Amino acid sequence: MKKIIALIALLTFAGAPVFAQKYASVNAKRANIRSCAGTKCSIKWYAWKYTPVIMVKTNEDKSWVLVKDFEGFSGWISADLLSPAGGMSAKVDLNVRKDPSASAEIVCTVEKGYPFKYLAKKGKWIQVVDDPADPKAGQCKGWVYNANLWGFFKQ
């Protein structure tokens, strides 16, 4: 009986993934996400600095990575354009606040998918900052309720 239980346990764990998902964020102002692993492949979409992605797999020489974003969109990006630094994406259109409180002053409003760099955590609030495409527009830095963000950060 013990052998049967041990065999069932072994088969159960053998079917489970042996590694956790690996996250990365884009470290270029704008990165091309392509249909296949190579610069001759068509561009499917663009990812901006700090955009968090799940790394699905690499090509044979590990120079390209198949990634997926929070909405499930996938494509290939050059491995050189990824960083282990934390990144966050807005899951919805949202207000970024001066302090970690729903009643705090709004410092900026962003659209769904907008990428941020993680700065700090206070309770259920995350402090973030962006890297705007147009520096004249000013930086968006403040606090967002964590349920409105998707991504990761290093602790």
Side-chain angles (χ1 to χ4, degrees):
M1 184 67 158
K2 287 183 181 180
K3 287 183 182 181
I4 293 172
I5 293 171
L7 180 60
I8 291 171
L10 178 64
L11 291 174
T12 302
F13 290 117
V18 295
F19 60 92
Q21 290 181 329
K22 302 263 183 176
Y23 292 88
S25 62
V26 173
N27 67 6
K29 281 271 190 200
R30 184 178 91 171
N32 299 329
I33 308 299
R34 297 182 178 272
S35 59
C36 60
T39 57
K40 297 201 185 302
C41 302
S42 64
I43 298 170
K44 291 177 72 175
W45 49 284
Y46 299 105
W48 307 96
K49 190 166 187 175
Y50 305 129
T51 299
V53 292
I54 296 172
M55 297 185 294
V56 178
K57 68 179 181 179
T58 62
N59 67 338
E60 196 171 295
D61 69 2
K62 299 185 185 327
S63 60
W64 289 84
V65 181
L66 178 62
V67 297
K68 186 168 60 169
D69 75 358
F70 78 100
E71 292 184 294
F73 294 111
S74 64
W76 292 87
I77 184 173
S78 173
D80 295 340
L81 301 179
L82 293 175
S83 166
M88 301 278 181
S89 284
K91 293 193 318 190
V92 295
D93 293 352
L94 58 82
N95 295 320
V96 179
R97 301 194 176 268
K98 185 176 181 179
D99 297 304
S101 166
S103 59
E105 176 187 341
I106 296 169
V107 294
C108 51
T109 301
V110 299
E111 295 178 352
K112 178 180 178 180
Y114 197 86
F116 290 104
K117 178 181 179 182
Y118 166 85
L119 294 177
K121 184 176 183 196
K122 189 172 191 179
K124 294 190 180 221
W125 290 81
I126 305 291
Q127 187 180 34
V128 295
V129 66
D130 71 350
D131 188 5
D134 179 7
K136 293 178 185 171
Q139 219 174 27
C140 179
K141 180 180 178 182
W143 294 88
V144 177
Y145 191 71
N146 69 355
N148 295 324
L149 295 170
W150 181 87
F152 72 103
F153 54 89
K154 298 286 185 181
Q155 289 187 351

